[in-house]
């Protein structure tokens, strides 16, 4: 989501500066690739790049292709084959051994309903959305492009020549159910239905100095970060300039100020046992997937006992969302190191991963996109 936000922001700046732009989108990958289908990069006519379609090895040639698309006001599908070890530009430098298909689209700023507009709408609320891009490998001269969006179960299509309403509805429902992007073939065209998950909201209970690195790290990822504390001397925006919000409140007031869903996660680190316990009582049965508790295992056990004594049931479902001590075991000692371990654990939980070292992973790093 952060990449989309950055692209939309860069497009608006380019538009204000009078610069024309093109959007490069990875639409299909065969074999290995640094970025997967759905990765995007905005290119301005003066060569500014926002986003990424590879680890840096394809960007140089992609820049030239994008500028050509701008000058020709066209859409082009370009295929990069990194399987050939004799290809100095793409094979050796990239070393991914894969085939990457990238669609370049000139952005017509005179058209309000252009691809950037669809991207902007895909992130305007906390609902999962689907960005629809149609392309053709068989017929290179027939590229439809990024022309559709399903948001809040409402479909926006700039053209419906390539798909029927029934086909689109069926495909979109499967994407929402799987929470994964999907590739589908219809006639001579292929359709990428990219699943866009809601923005992650991280609420940190606590406004001590050890919270600062956690806020800064989450902000780099584009997460919405909220700091809440009951101390007026600590809950100050100037102490956490990169936080989305800083709230001075009691625990019972916090849950009334935010929307809690599966994309909302919590870390309790006030160093005040009673404050953390009071907040835990209020959020334990909320739809969050992650509640991190700073402190030793004995603190978690004590909290569980106190919840039980207060008549609050903690079953397997509730225990599965509790992470105490908080963070992954990476030997973290300083607050900066702890922040990295906590963010890594949250990312793993939200992605349904175990946090295994990639060296020890038996399968491919990236899951192949579903084809239906």
């Amino acid at each position: 989501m952060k990449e989309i936000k950055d692209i939309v922001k860069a497009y608006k700046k380019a538009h204000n500066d009078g610069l024309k732009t093109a959007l490069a989108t990875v639409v299909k990958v065969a074999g290995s690739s640094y970025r997967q289908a759905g990765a995007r990069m905005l290119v301005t006519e003066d060569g500014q790049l926002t986003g990424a379609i590879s680890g840096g090895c394809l960007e140089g040639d992609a820049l030239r292709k994008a500028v050509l698309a701008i000058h020709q006001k066209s859409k082009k599908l370009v295929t990069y084959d990194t399987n050939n070890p004799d290809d100095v530009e793409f094979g050796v430098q990239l070393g991914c051994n894969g085939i990457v298909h990238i669609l370049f689209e000139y952005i017509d700023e005179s058209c309000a309903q252009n691809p950037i507009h669809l991207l902007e709408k895909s992130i305007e609320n906390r609902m999962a959305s689907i960005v629809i891009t149609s392309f053709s490998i068989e017929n290179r001269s027939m590229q439809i492009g990024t022309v559709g969006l399903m948001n809040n179960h409402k479909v926006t299509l700039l053209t419906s020549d390539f798909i029927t309403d029934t086909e689109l509805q069926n495909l979109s429902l499967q994407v929402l159910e799987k929470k994964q992007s999907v590739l589908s073939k219809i006639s001579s065209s292929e359709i990428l239905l990219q699943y866009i998950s809601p923005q992650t909201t991280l609420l940190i209970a606590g406004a001590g100095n050890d919270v600062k690195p956690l806020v800064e790290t989450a902000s780099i990822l584009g997460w919405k970060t909220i700091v809440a504390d009951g101390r007026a001397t600590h809950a100050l925006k100037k102490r956490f300039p990169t936080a989305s919000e800083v709230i001075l409140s009691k625990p019972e007031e916090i849950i009334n100020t935010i929307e809690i869903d599966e994309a909302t996660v919590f870390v309790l680190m006030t160093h005040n046992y009673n404050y953390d316990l009071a907040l835990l009582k209020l959020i334990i049965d909320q739809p969050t997937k992650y509640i991190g508790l700073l402190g030793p295992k004995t603190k978690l056990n004590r909290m569980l006992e106190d919840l039980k004594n207060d008549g609050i049931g903690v079953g397997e479902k509730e225990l599965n969302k509790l992470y105490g001590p908080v963070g992954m075991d990476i030997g973290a000692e300083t607050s900066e190191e702890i922040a990295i371990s906590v963010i890594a654990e949250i990312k793993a939980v939200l992605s349904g991963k175990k946090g295994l070292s990639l060296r020890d992973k038996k399968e491919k790093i990236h899951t192949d996109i579903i084809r239906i």
Side-chain angles (χ1 to χ4, degrees):
M1 177 175 281
K2 183 179 185 297
E3 187 168 71
I4 294 177
K5 281 187 171 182
D6 291 343
I7 285 173
V8 171
K9 182 179 179 181
Y11 170 76
K12 290 181 177 180
K13 183 180 185 303
H15 178 70
N16 291 335
D17 293 343
L19 295 173
K20 299 185 183 304
T21 60
L23 183 67
T25 304
V26 177
V27 290
K28 187 176 182 180
V29 172
S32 299
S33 175
Y34 188 86
R35 295 298 305 272
Q36 297 300 293
R40 290 183 173 83
M41 180 175 74
L42 185 78
V43 181
T44 62
E45 60 182 318
D46 64 348
Q48 299 177 56
L49 308 178
T50 303
I53 53 172
S54 76
C57 28
L58 298 183
E59 271 70 3
D61 188 73
L63 168 61
R64 294 187 286 272
K65 297 293 194 303
V67 171
L68 181 62
I70 291 173
H71 290 162
Q72 295 180 345
K73 297 183 178 182
S74 63
K75 301 185 181 88
K76 294 181 179 294
L77 185 73
V78 178
T79 299
Y80 296 96
D81 187 347
T82 65
N83 282 304
N84 186 358
D86 296 326
D87 190 328
V88 176
E89 185 171 8
F90 301 126
V92 174
Q93 291 184 1
L94 188 60
C96 287
N97 297 323
I99 300 173
V100 185
H101 302 278
I102 299 176
L103 179 66
F104 295 88
E105 301 176 82
Y106 166 69
I107 304 300
D108 185 357
E109 54 193 30
S110 67
C111 176
Q113 298 277 62
N114 61 44
I116 303 298
H117 169 77
L118 295 178
L119 292 180
E120 185 174 20
K121 286 183 68 66
S122 75
I123 58 174
E124 68 180 8
N125 58 37
R126 291 187 59 79
M127 301 288 291
S129 58
I130 302 168
V131 176
I132 303 160
T133 305
S134 177
F135 61 98
S136 177
I137 297 175
E138 297 176 12
N139 188 348
R140 299 271 169 162
S141 64
M142 292 293 293
Q143 304 302 329
I144 296 175
T146 305
V147 293
L149 172 72
M150 173 175 273
N151 186 279
N152 197 19
H153 294 280
K154 296 180 180 178
V155 176
T156 300
L157 271 181
L158 307 188
T159 176
S160 58
D161 293 342
F162 65 103
I163 192 170
T164 68
D165 291 343
T166 301
E167 287 173 323
L168 180 59
Q169 186 71 20
N170 290 337
L171 289 171
S172 297
L173 289 176
Q174 292 184 63
V175 172
L176 292 175
E177 180 183 356
K178 297 176 184 296
K179 295 183 179 180
Q180 285 184 261
S181 299
V182 161
L183 266 175
S184 184
K185 183 103 184 267
I186 295 180
S187 188
S188 63
S189 295
E190 293 187 70
I191 300 172
L192 171 65
L193 294 97
Q194 183 191 5
Y195 177 79
I196 309 292
S197 59
Q199 180 184 30
T200 299
T201 294
L202 168 62
L203 188 138
I204 307 168
N209 289 339
D210 57 346
V211 173
K212 292 179 180 179
L214 186 59
V215 172
E216 292 167 3
T217 306
S219 298
I220 291 173
L221 299 179
W223 293 1
K224 179 179 181 179
T225 310
I226 303 172
V227 177
D229 199 295
R231 298 169 292 179
T233 55
H234 287 63
L236 301 170
K237 187 66 169 73
K238 66 180 181 180
R239 282 174 48 78
F240 305 95
T242 59
S244 306
E245 297 179 48
V246 178
I247 304 172
L248 173 64
S249 66
K250 299 177 181 179
E252 57 269 20
E253 297 170 340
I254 294 176
I255 62 170
N256 295 323
T257 61
I258 67 168
E259 179 182 352
I260 302 176
D261 53 29
E262 290 189 347
T264 307
V265 296
F266 295 84
V267 177
L268 312 186
M269 51 189 303
T270 65
H271 301 278
N272 181 324
Y273 179 85
N274 291 329
Y275 191 105
D276 286 353
L277 178 62
L279 182 55
L280 180 59
K281 290 178 180 178
L282 297 171
I283 63 176
I284 189 66
D285 62 348
Q286 294 291 328
T288 178
K289 293 182 178 180
Y290 182 96
I291 302 173
L293 302 167
L294 184 69
K297 194 75 171 182
T298 53
K299 177 182 177 182
L300 172 60
N301 292 335
R302 180 185 170 191
M303 284 185 160
L304 292 175
E305 188 64 27
D306 286 340
L307 290 176
K308 180 180 178 181
N309 292 336
D310 288 341
I312 300 175
V314 181
E316 184 177 355
K317 178 181 177 181
E318 289 74 28
L319 286 174
N320 285 339
K321 67 177 69 173
L322 292 176
Y323 290 81
V326 68
M328 302 188 76
D329 184 8
I330 60 171
E333 182 67 27
T334 67
S335 57
E336 291 81 6
E337 293 169 346
I338 292 171
I340 292 172
S341 76
V342 173
I343 293 296
E345 182 174 63
I346 294 173
K347 174 59 180 172
V349 170
L350 294 180
S351 301
K353 302 294 183 180
K354 297 294 185 181
L356 180 71
S357 293
L358 292 177
R359 181 196 64 178
D360 301 324
K361 188 176 175 70
K362 304 302 181 184
E363 305 83 15
K364 291 174 58 178
I365 294 176
H366 299 292
T367 304
D368 288 336
I369 194 167
I370 299 173
R371 288 174 168 80
I372 56 177

